[in-house]
Amino acid sequence: MKKCFVLLLLLPLGFGGCDDGHEPRTETWTVAPEKGVAGIVMSFGHVPAYIVKTAPDAEWRTFSGSIANFTFEKGYQTEMLVRIDPIPNPPADGPGYRYTMEKPISRTPMQSDVDPLQFSPELEVTIASRRADSPATSGYWIKDKRYTDPQWEPFPWEIEGFDFEPGFEARLLIRPVAEYDDAKGDYEVKYRLTKLISSEEKVSEGIPDK
């Protein structure tokens, strides 16, 4: 099950994974002036991601891979030619393509005309009645309710707006968002409470010993 989770997380990391073509190609990409969030599996966390169109008439989508020669700057929408090169014999858990900005076309200061939150749907989770404590982190035990048989997983990120009560098991709707950190000059993912569905005084069962 864990192996399947890892593969799912890697799906947003690059485009072309189902493309049978093995020749380099060039596409005209537009990168939005804000970042969104990519990632699927809660226990591995989400990551900030570019919001891109891979053709002028394409739909916006997230892309969490890297683009060589390109430096993202918040508040600027960039259009460019991107060269896509297949990577020979890529590792099983790695991207199959390398992306390089071949030529910048335009760089325009503007507010984003795409809402980053549309790529970050709410997630229903259960929070265990006790914290997940370890020498490295202090977070939650969490069940991701998208799965038919969710298991308790350590979740080392805080959930903004959630007031944890020891001894109470809670069901929540949360949303991962990419938030710009002025001090770091980059985005980081924060998890926010959007709705408290229920909170029940009980001892959560089945939590791993470690």
Side-chain angles (χ1 to χ4, degrees):
M1 188 173 186
K2 188 74 82 170
K3 184 181 296 183
C4 178
F5 279 3
V6 175
L7 293 175
L8 284 172
L9 180 64
L10 292 172
L11 287 176
L13 296 183
F15 302 146
C18 298
D19 187 355
D20 293 331
H22 299 289
E23 297 299 322
R25 66 185 189 274
T26 300
E27 296 178 345
T28 300
W29 283 26
T30 302
V31 181
E34 298 282 350
K35 284 189 178 182
V37 168
I40 296 176
V41 183
M42 293 296 297
S43 59
F44 291 91
H46 293 75
V47 295
Y50 300 124
I51 301 174
V52 306
K53 290 197 294 186
T54 57
D57 58 349
E59 297 290 330
W60 291 103
R61 61 195 297 187
T62 54
F63 174 75
S64 58
S66 62
I67 306 172
N69 298 337
F70 172 62
T71 300
F72 177 86
E73 189 172 358
K74 182 180 184 295
Y76 287 84
Q77 182 161 295
T78 304
E79 188 176 12
M80 57 187 169
L81 293 180
V82 174
R83 180 181 173 88
I84 303 171
D85 295 290
I87 298 175
N89 303 314
D93 58 349
Y97 294 84
R98 181 180 299 108
Y99 302 85
T100 305
M101 183 177 73
E102 195 167 69
K103 178 184 177 181
I105 298 174
S106 65
R107 178 175 172 273
T108 308
M110 61 182 293
Q111 290 190 341
S112 182
D113 57 3
V114 57
D115 182 4
L117 292 183
Q118 72 176 272
F119 304 105
S120 181
E122 291 179 321
L123 306 167
E124 183 179 340
V125 299
T126 299
I127 305 293
S129 57
R130 66 175 173 85
R131 287 275 199 171
D133 296 320
S134 73
T137 184
S138 177
Y140 309 101
W141 287 108
I142 194 170
K143 283 186 178 180
D144 187 340
K145 303 300 286 185
R146 290 172 296 173
Y147 301 101
T148 54
D149 185 26
Q151 303 299 313
W152 291 115
E153 298 281 353
F155 187 79
W157 302 277
E158 286 299 318
I159 300 174
E160 296 179 350
F162 173 55
D163 186 13
F164 176 80
E165 292 185 78
F168 285 78
E169 187 175 284
R171 289 176 58 208
L172 320 174
L173 289 179
I174 63 174
R175 187 193 300 274
V177 297
E179 187 174 286
Y180 189 76
D181 187 321
D182 289 309
K184 296 179 180 178
D186 203 354
Y187 288 81
E188 60 181 341
V189 172
K190 300 289 186 67
Y191 292 88
R192 296 176 181 168
L193 173 71
T194 58
K195 182 179 181 181
L196 175 62
I197 300 174
S198 65
S199 180
E200 178 185 2
E201 187 173 9
K202 63 178 293 187
V203 176
S204 298
E205 298 180 351
I207 299 176
D209 293 334
K210 296 182 179 180

